[in-house]
């Protein structure tokens, strides 16, 4: 292997394995729901050895949490528009689009399912919440640094995200006016 080939290798195979496993998990959750497949099935379908999955993630719960966080971070990133109102409106609109999409409730269903899956599941659920709360807090800290009054991260969860998830869970739908109203009431 020459020097140029070596320069391309770091992360290449690892990234491909991660992407294949993540896509397989997403597909299986969409097809069967959480708890209706095993690491062995993920391995077989993704073409990755189950020992590689266990070595990298340790458990199905940890893998599912990683998939959920990766999905959240890529599809609902924390915006930085220059104002808290702009950030929250942009973020809420993005989350609304995500959770009303074809497999949008996968993260909510995953969090609920993890809660009833023993100590490992509870820890994975808590890790998922902690990471998303940390990300929200970074957006709110930026607003405070600009001199804006900002709520805490749990207020965003309680007053913006929770009502949206409940409405979608019960088939009530989300309109842009409704989503904007949630943000406006919080601010």
């Amino acid at each position: 292997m020459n020097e140029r080939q070596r320069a391309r290798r770091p992360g290449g195979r690892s990234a491909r394995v991660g992407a294949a496993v993540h896509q397989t998990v997403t597909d299986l959750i969409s097809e069967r729901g959480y708890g209706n497949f095993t690491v062995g099935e993920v391995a077989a379908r993704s073409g990755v050895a189950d020992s590689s999955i266990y070595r990298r993630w340790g458990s199905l719960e940890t893998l599912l949490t990683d998939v959920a966080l990766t999905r959240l971070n890529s599809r609902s990133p924390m915006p930085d528009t220059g104002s808290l109102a702009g950030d929250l409106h942009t973020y809420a609109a993005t989350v609304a689009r995500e959770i009303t999409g074809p497999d949008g409730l996968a993260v909510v269903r995953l969090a609920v399912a993890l809660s009833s899956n023993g100590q490992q599941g509870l820890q994975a659920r808590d890790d998922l919440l902690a990471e998303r709360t940390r990300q929200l807090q970074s957006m709110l800290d930026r607003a405070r640094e600009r001199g804006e009054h900002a709520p805490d991260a749990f207020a965003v969860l309680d007053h913006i995200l929770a009502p949206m998830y409940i409405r979608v869970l019960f088939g009530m739908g989300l309109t842009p006016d409704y989503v904007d109203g949630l943000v406006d009431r919080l601010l």
Side-chain angles (χ1 to χ4, degrees):
M1 186 181 296
N2 67 34
E3 195 61 36
R4 185 172 173 191
Q5 288 170 317
R6 258 189 234 116
R8 281 193 230 152
R9 290 252 351 186
R13 183 180 188 299
S14 178
R16 284 191 304 277
V17 165
V21 169
H22 276 222
Q23 187 59 55
T24 298
V25 168
T26 301
D27 292 347
L28 286 169
I29 289 173
S30 293
E31 292 167 18
R32 301 183 192 174
Y34 172 81
N36 297 316
F37 57 90
T38 65
V39 169
E41 289 173 298
V42 172
R45 196 164 180 178
S46 65
V48 175
D50 58 352
S51 59
S52 294
I53 293 173
Y54 282 114
R55 187 171 37 257
R56 185 167 179 171
W57 287 282
S59 70
L60 183 59
E61 288 79 13
T62 304
L63 170 58
L64 292 169
T65 301
D66 185 48
V67 169
L69 282 171
T70 300
R71 179 188 169 118
L72 280 171
N73 293 337
S74 67
R75 295 189 180 183
S76 302
M78 292 297 126
D80 188 0
T81 65
S83 74
L84 179 59
D87 290 350
L88 287 174
H89 280 285
T90 300
Y91 177 67
T94 301
V95 170
R97 271 192 311 280
E98 174 65 18
I99 65 174
T100 57
D103 52 29
L105 283 178
V107 173
V108 176
R109 290 185 183 121
L110 174 60
V112 170
L114 288 172
S115 297
S116 61
N117 198 33
Q119 190 56 42
Q120 242 185 347
L122 289 171
Q123 184 61 52
R125 180 212 56 201
D126 291 349
D127 292 347
L128 180 64
L129 177 61
E131 177 59 21
R132 203 52 173 170
T133 302
R134 185 195 63 72
Q135 293 171 348
L136 282 169
Q137 192 60 54
S138 70
M139 178 176 59
L140 299 169
D141 289 344
R142 277 195 317 266
R144 284 187 193 95
E145 289 168 8
R146 290 189 300 259
E148 296 178 86
H149 174 72
D152 67 24
F154 285 106
V156 175
L157 293 171
D158 289 341
H159 298 283
I160 297 175
L161 297 180
M164 289 195 304
Y165 282 119
I166 292 297
R167 286 181 69 94
V168 171
L169 278 170
F170 288 101
M172 297 165 67
L174 297 173
T175 65
D177 287 341
Y178 176 79
V179 173
D180 284 342
L182 292 173
V183 173
D184 293 341
R185 281 189 293 282
L186 175 62
L187 293 174

